[in-house]
Amino acid sequence: MSTHKLHNDKLDLIHWINELDDYTVIARLKSMMNTIQKEDLSFAQKKAIDEALVSIDTEVLESHDTVMEQTKLKFPHLFQK
């Protein structure tokens, strides 16, 4: 995600929140905010998430079915019942 898009998305959210009249939604957002702030991710985790988001925008992605097939081949013991 580009810095410009991130900035615009944040401004859109700020505007949307500013227009809210439903306290239930505000309470949910506050709860999410508190939860996210408590979940301190390591630098490596944040970097991995950022790289994944960039790859979504810039790379060709494999289908869910393909990923599941590869996972079953690599970790067959996880799919035994």
Side-chain angles (χ1 to χ4, degrees):
M1 179 179 292
S2 72
T3 305
H4 182 69
K5 179 164 176 27
L6 177 62
H7 179 74
N8 285 340
D9 287 348
K10 290 192 307 187
L11 288 176
D12 287 345
L13 283 169
I14 291 167
H15 177 70
W16 177 74
I17 290 168
N18 194 45
E19 298 295 318
L20 281 175
D21 290 329
D22 185 345
Y23 187 75
T24 305
V25 176
I26 299 288
R28 284 181 171 176
L29 290 170
K30 286 176 71 174
S31 176
M32 280 177 47
M33 181 178 67
N34 291 335
T35 301
I36 290 169
Q37 288 174 347
K38 291 177 184 173
E39 296 173 1
D40 292 331
L41 299 175
S42 70
F43 176 77
Q45 290 170 320
K46 290 176 185 177
K47 183 178 177 191
I49 292 169
D50 289 341
E51 289 172 357
L53 291 172
V54 168
S55 74
I56 290 170
D57 291 337
T58 60
E59 296 179 15
V60 176
L61 303 176
E62 295 186 27
S63 72
H64 173 74
D65 292 336
T66 301
V67 172
M68 289 304 296
E69 288 173 19
Q70 292 172 352
T71 304
K72 286 177 184 178
L73 289 173
K74 190 170 183 178
F75 305 103
H77 62 283
L78 297 176
F79 296 91
Q80 294 175 355
K81 288 188 178 187

